[in-house]
Structures are given as structure tokens and as C-alpha cells.
Amino acid sequence: MVNGTIRYWAAAKEAAGKSEEPVTGSTLAEVLESVRAAYSEDDRLLRVLDRSSFVVDEYPVGGRPHAGVLLNEGYVIEVLPPFAGG
């Protein structure tokens, strides 16, 4: 397992009640699974995660399977919910 940070933006920040937090995981899928477990009592963040895009260390994840997105020590995951407007 490697350590990193997950940053929440816009609706994700509001749902999580914080802008970022430390996380541990070797893949994006592992991190998202642990975040979902931590917030399982309140599904607001879970709903936002389901429709969000992710950026890992400044690289968009796009349509890649989350289990295939490997993380390096000190990684930063950005959670980007859909934004209104252009």
C-alpha cells in the first residue's frame, strides 16, 4: 500500500465536508473503495463519486479501468464532479 491525498472539488467537497484527506491504496479502485466504505453512512459523497471524473498526479484517468490506475507514493487524486456551465 502507498500513501497519498485525495482532493475533493465543488459538490464532492461539500458532500465530504472537507477539501482533502490522506488515503492509502495501490490503485485508484482501492482508494475509491476505502473512501466509499468510510462514507457509507451518508450516501451524498457516494452519489457524487459515481458521476465524477478523476485526475491522478495531473493526468486525467478518463475511461481507464480504476483497478488499472497504479499509484505511486505521495500521489494526489483530484475528484472532479460535473460542473455546470461551459
Side-chain angles (χ1 to χ4, degrees), residues 18-67:
K18 59 185 84 173
S19 60
E20 65 180 48
E21 62 185 315
V23 288
T24 302
S26 299
T27 66
L28 178 57
E30 287 177 6
V31 170
L32 293 177
E33 183 178 318
S34 70
V35 169
R36 285 185 173 99
Y39 289 87
S40 64
E41 296 293 320
D42 182 354
D43 72 343
R44 290 179 300 160
L45 182 59
L46 306 182
R47 290 193 318 262
V48 173
L49 290 174
D50 286 343
R51 63 181 198 269
S52 292
S53 298
F54 303 95
V55 175
V56 176
D57 292 334
E58 300 182 14
Y59 294 98
V61 171
R64 289 184 288 160
H66 295 167

